[in-house]
Amino acid sequence: MNSRTDVLVIGGGATGAGVARDLALRDVEVTLVERDGLSAGTSGRSHGLLHSGARYAEADRPEARACLEESRILKEIAGVCVRDTRGLFVQLSEDDPDYFEAKRAACEEVGISTEVVDGESVRAEIPDLTDDVERAMWVPDGVVLPSRLVAANAADARDHGAEVLTRAPVTGMRRENGRVTEVDLGGEVDETIEPTYVVNAAGPYAASIAEMVDATVTLHPTKGVMVSVEYDRLEPVLNRCRDPDDGDIIVPHDDEVVLGTTSVPVDDPEEYERADWEVERSVEECAKMLPPVADAARLRTWWGVRPLYEPEEAALDERGISRGFHLLEHDDEGVDNIASIVGGKLTTYRKMAEATADLVCDRLDVDADCETATRRLPGADDPEQVDEFVAEFDGQGPTDEDLIGR
Ligand SMILES: Cc1cc2nc3c(=O)[nH]c(=O)nc-3n(C[C@H](O)[C@H](O)[C@H](O)COP(=O)(O)OP(=O)(O)OC[C@H]3O[C@@H](n4cnc5c(N)ncnc54)[C@H](O)[C@@H]3O)c2cc1C
């Protein structure tokens, strides 16, 4: 059976759901398709840190500014999808004091508020922190519940006329005269869609979607592990204040903390080795900040794959690749009604979606402004309602499994 839509968005992670919401709010007819349940990809398998931008402040100012701006917006519009926990960057005795100073200066330059506290004061607030802490810096980090965030975006898209199809994998696409003309959906949907425009928001799978129409997206996917352990006494996010490395972030939940992560290149976003050393190293390194986590009961372990974009000219190391997003059109490859959106962060998904929706509206001659920065998400004040959205879209990922439906 064939049906048509103005915009077909492929991928039900934060980016795709955000694009669908943004377009639907601009009265554009949109269909969102996800091969699994929503959040089944990287979004539902991330570390769940709502970045204030402090992590990137000295190395990537534009990304730090984007995180600062977007984390502020999400604290306004996303309600129970985020938590305003604040975060600490801790300097241990083996860490370079100049790095701490450089980060503080860069945060100030970017506009990220900081407050430096000495080791004794911070240990008075967080008694389990290692006594090896020299000093620490408060920043406005937070926690994001990706399953809720993605489901609330999809629910708003649906409430504004979008069709949201889960268990609807794109299995093939046809192009004719420089345009994508037909997209085949398998799984439970099993139909062919004729779209006017296609948005490829398939995260680490974006390259294989682009290939279906002989277009190219050069990704440098990297995997990272998260380990959730029993611990109920941490309020802020803990970040180690040193060059980004394995096991330098602890994200607090209610009765658990999530330790992570690693960054190891993979060839395939699905078939990769889940190595024990990554788990052990993450726990060991995080325990240098918060020693009780070393022996805490391990509750869940999962991996995610970053959809990092690697332009040919910038062959940087895994952690040096920009965390900024890239919106690519493929007209130079002979197909002009498809764009791919890759890279970025969960924290900046809304901005990525806005840029994508601006482009699509321009191509479709739609004159409508973005509203997503000021409109609250449905269910933002009602955890039960938003958890019903998660269930409706089969959107439960491991990152916030312990926090949904409580
Ligand atoms: C280890 C790790 C930790 C991270 N931690 C953080 C963090 O703490 N804070 C932060 O801000 N960011 C973090 N990130 C980055 C962030 O998670 C990602 O940048 C973001 O979630 C990507 O979202 P997305 O929607 O673009 O991709 P995805 O969430 O991967 O969504 C793409 C979707 O496309 C679907 N799909 C694939 N193929 C098809 C097909 N053929 N048909 C239909 N659908 C298809 C997939 O199933 C998937 O659901 C982390 C990433 C990793 C890997």
Side-chain angles (χ1 to χ4, degrees):
M1 195 186 85
N2 277 28
S3 57
R4 61 156 312 285
T5 188
D6 283 344
V7 183
L8 178 70
V9 180
I10 303 171
T15 309
V19 172
R21 175 188 190 225
D22 194 321
L23 288 169
L25 287 174
R26 299 191 209 203
D27 277 335
V28 175
E29 183 194 30
V30 54
T31 302
L32 172 67
V33 294
E34 162 58 46
R35 68 173 193 170
D36 213 312
L38 294 188
S39 307
T42 310
S43 298
R45 314 183 64 79
S46 66
H47 206 158
L49 166 56
L50 184 66
H51 284 277
S52 62
R55 184 166 172 85
Y56 305 112
E58 72 288 353
D60 189 348
R61 300 230 165 136
E63 186 58 10
R65 282 195 189 94
C67 285
L68 177 64
E69 201 178 305
E70 290 302 311
S71 62
R72 282 179 177 156
I73 290 173
L74 288 182
K75 285 173 191 170
E76 291 295 320
I77 66 153
V80 296
C81 304
V82 299
R83 291 178 167 187
D84 194 357
T85 58
R86 302 204 291 157
L88 273 171
F89 274 79
V90 297
Q91 179 199 325
L92 308 189
S93 59
E94 66 187 271
D95 299 333
D96 179 2
D98 292 343
Y99 185 88
F100 188 99
E101 291 305 334
K103 186 169 290 288
R104 181 167 63 160
C107 282
E108 267 172 28
E109 205 186 306
V110 169
I112 301 164
S113 59
T114 60
E115 185 196 338
V116 176
V117 279
D118 61 33
E120 202 178 324
S121 318
V122 73
R123 272 178 46 78
E125 279 195 71
I126 305 170
D128 280 344
L129 209 58
T130 172
D131 54 13
D132 197 25
V133 58
E134 296 277 337
R135 57 181 169 166
M137 177 164 53
W138 285 102
V139 298
D141 280 345
V143 175
V144 52
L145 281 64
S147 307
R148 282 187 177 168
L149 187 68
V150 175
N153 273 273
D156 208 25
R158 182 208 45 207
D159 291 350
H160 290 86
E163 192 169 9
V164 178
L165 302 175
T166 54
R167 314 275 164 213
V170 169
T171 52
M173 292 200 269
R174 279 175 290 290
R175 57 183 268 187
E176 213 175 285
N177 300 326
R179 296 184 66 76
V180 181
T181 50
E182 291 184 320
V183 179
D184 296 327
L185 302 178
E188 291 170 12
V189 174
D190 193 22
E191 68 176 63
T192 296
I193 296 199
E194 296 171 6
T196 307
Y197 201 92
V198 177
V199 173
N200 171 13
Y205 303 87
S208 50
I209 294 291
E211 267 169 29
M212 291 181 185
V213 286
D214 297 325
T216 319
V217 174
T218 313
L219 291 183
H220 180 87
T222 69
K223 63 170 175 166
V225 73
M226 271 72 46
V227 187
S228 185
V229 303
E230 206 170 82
Y231 184 83
D232 62 3
R233 298 181 300 287
L234 184 66
E235 282 179 20
V237 175
L238 296 183
N239 300 268
R240 182 83 176 269
C241 198
R242 64 174 184 198
D243 266 330
D245 206 336
D246 295 337
D248 56 7
I249 301 177
I250 305 180
V251 177
H253 286 189
D254 293 342
D255 309 318
E256 305 180 6
V257 289
V258 185
L259 317 178
T261 178
T262 47
S263 185
V264 181
V266 294
D267 294 327
D268 184 307
E270 222 151 64
E271 299 299 322
Y272 54 85
E273 189 195 3
R274 276 94 171 146
D276 286 346
W277 72 260
E278 292 181 80
V279 175
E280 297 314 320
R281 189 159 159 78
S282 291
V283 174
E284 199 178 289
E285 284 297 313
C286 286
K288 288 186 183 166
M289 291 191 280
L290 195 67
V293 302
D295 301 317
R298 295 185 190 175
L299 304 170
R300 293 193 309 288
T301 300
W302 67 95
W303 273 259
V305 176
R306 299 175 185 85
L308 302 182
Y309 178 60
E310 183 187 47
E312 297 286 322
E313 64 274 16
L316 302 167
D317 69 44
E318 297 84 64
R319 291 187 199 268
I321 289 175
S322 167
R323 297 298 207 255
F325 69 84
H326 299 266
L327 178 56
L328 315 164
E329 286 190 279
H330 300 284
D331 44 344
D332 57 343
E333 297 178 284
V335 55
D336 64 8
N337 63 335
I338 179 168
S340 300
I341 172 81
V342 290
K345 305 291 296 172
L346 188 57
T347 304
T348 56
Y349 86 95
R350 195 212 59 82
K351 191 182 170 78
M352 296 166 69
E354 178 176 346
T356 309
D358 282 348
L359 174 83
V360 173
C361 286
D362 183 64
R363 298 299 178 259
L364 298 185
D365 246 339
V366 172
D367 185 15
D369 292 331
C370 175
E371 294 183 14
T372 59
T374 49
R375 261 192 196 241
R376 272 174 81 74
L377 285 164
D381 302 313
D382 182 350
E384 278 180 28
Q385 190 194 359
V386 79
D387 289 351
E388 278 170 25
F389 297 148
V390 174
E392 176 189 341
F393 296 119
D394 194 11
Q396 184 63 80
T399 304
D400 49 17
E401 197 180 297
D402 54 313
L403 299 175
I404 305 295
R406 285 166 65 107

